[in-house]
Amino acid sequence: MKTFLWLLPLAFAACTSSRPSAVPTAEASAARTSSSATTPVPVATSTSELGSYHWQLHDAVDGNNRRLASLFDDSGKPLQLDFSGDHLSVSHACNGIGGNYKIVDGHLVTGALLQTMMACPDPTLMQRESTIKRVLRASPALTHSNTGGKPVLVLSAADGTTLTFAGQPTAETRYGGPGSIEFLEVAAADADCPQPLPAQKNCLKVRQLHYDAQGLRTGEPGTWRTLTQPIEGYEHQPGMRNVLRVKRYTLTHSPADTSSTAYVLDLVVESEAVTPAA
């Protein structure tokens, strides 16, 4: 069965089962401050500074300073905010959420928030969604600080709810540039890695695909090749053929005998379960 997966960067629509006609174009660790700790000093906040990091939820308290433990789990994927230009997106909640934003007198003011319309049985994801939407709609006070070299973003709603996010550098920040967009088809079966990589290590078998400005497949696929480095953010499941939109970065200082490029997952465009041949 073939599945097409979509994330809309500037708007979120209800999920459907129909096949899209085109590929979409690309467009801290910090603890809660105690009374005995040194209060972080707020720094000037710009959209470029916010956009340099993935902001992952590190702590959350209600108006009575009680920790909101229901927002956390052991998945390794905390609630995350991302800023791009004047657009804000929320991930790792039940639904993808997004909308325009601006900073007014130290407050984060959002426009209409759009989202996908999935139902989630996971209570943690549901609680994250309801909490972040409530906070964002309340035009929370925004504090951006740098404590010991670790960026921290705090959203404080009028009812006392306070969400503290730790900044993780984006790929653009880590690799020093925007990267280039490529589309890679990943074969369902793993490939044997060439020497001198460990014999027990499996590599991905990939080929490049091409799309025109309207997002329609064009030209012939590239030849299959073995990709010896991982694609950041992508976890391959044997038996699943995937088409990925990735960002490709050129490494200026790569260690000897390693690849001079890095691939970061941007979007899973197409996914299909493949039955092994007899």
Side-chain angles (χ1 to χ4, degrees):
M1 182 178 67
K2 185 180 296 184
T3 304
F4 296 85
L5 308 175
W6 307 97
L7 281 178
L8 303 184
L10 297 180
F12 292 81
C15 296
T16 69
S17 58
S18 61
R19 174 171 176 165
S21 60
V23 173
T25 57
E27 300 297 42
S29 177
R32 184 164 64 238
T33 303
S34 66
S35 59
S36 60
T38 301
T39 302
V41 178
V43 298
T45 302
S46 67
T47 56
S48 62
E49 288 172 327
L50 294 178
S52 296
Y53 298 92
H54 301 298
W55 299 99
Q56 299 179 342
L57 187 65
H58 176 75
D59 202 2
V61 296
D62 64 13
N64 295 314
N65 204 37
R66 294 176 299 197
R67 191 169 192 266
L68 299 175
S70 59
L71 300 179
F72 301 88
D73 58 18
D74 298 324
S75 66
K77 295 181 178 180
L79 182 71
Q80 179 171 302
L81 302 181
D82 285 283
F83 298 85
S84 177
D86 62 354
H87 185 78
L88 162 70
S89 62
V90 180
S91 54
H92 304 161
C94 177
N95 287 279
I97 303 169
N100 292 337
Y101 80 96
K102 55 185 177 181
I103 300 174
V104 180
D105 296 330
H107 288 257
L108 179 65
V109 180
T110 61
L113 296 176
L114 305 177
Q115 66 177 72
T116 56
M117 299 298 291
M118 295 188 299
C120 298
D122 189 328
T124 298
L125 298 180
M126 292 296 293
Q127 189 61 45
R128 288 177 181 178
E129 180 174 314
S130 62
T131 300
I132 191 62
K133 287 197 299 185
R134 175 170 55 82
V135 170
L136 291 177
R137 287 168 175 164
S139 298
L142 182 151
T143 303
H144 174 214
S145 61
N146 197 302
T147 305
K150 298 178 180 179
V152 177
L153 180 68
V154 180
L155 299 182
S156 303
D159 66 358
T161 302
T162 302
L163 306 181
T164 302
F165 297 83
Q168 301 296 329
T170 64
E172 286 79 2
T173 301
R174 288 185 285 117
Y175 296 123
S180 59
I181 293 293
E182 291 186 4
F183 291 88
L184 295 179
E185 180 180 3
V186 181
D190 291 333
D192 293 330
C193 295
Q195 298 300 323
L197 294 176
Q200 70 273 16
K201 178 178 173 64
N202 292 328
C203 291
L204 298 177
K205 185 177 181 181
V206 304
R207 63 178 178 178
Q208 189 170 3
L209 303 180
H210 305 280
Y211 294 84
D212 61 19
Q214 286 70 46
L216 301 175
R217 182 84 64 87
T218 184
E220 294 296 324
T223 57
W224 288 104
R225 60 189 175 92
T226 300
L227 190 65
T228 57
Q229 76 262 42
I231 299 174
E232 292 183 29
Y234 174 71
E235 183 176 349
H236 183 65
Q237 296 183 0
M240 295 297 297
R241 182 192 70 85
N242 293 290
V243 175
L244 311 178
R245 188 176 74 193
V246 300
K247 290 186 178 181
R248 181 179 184 273
Y249 300 89
T250 300
L251 307 181
T252 55
H253 302 288
S254 57
D257 300 324
T258 62
S259 176
S260 61
T261 61
Y263 292 96
V264 178
L265 177 65
D266 191 48
L267 177 70
V268 178
V269 174
E270 180 181 323
S271 187
E272 177 185 17
V274 176
T275 302

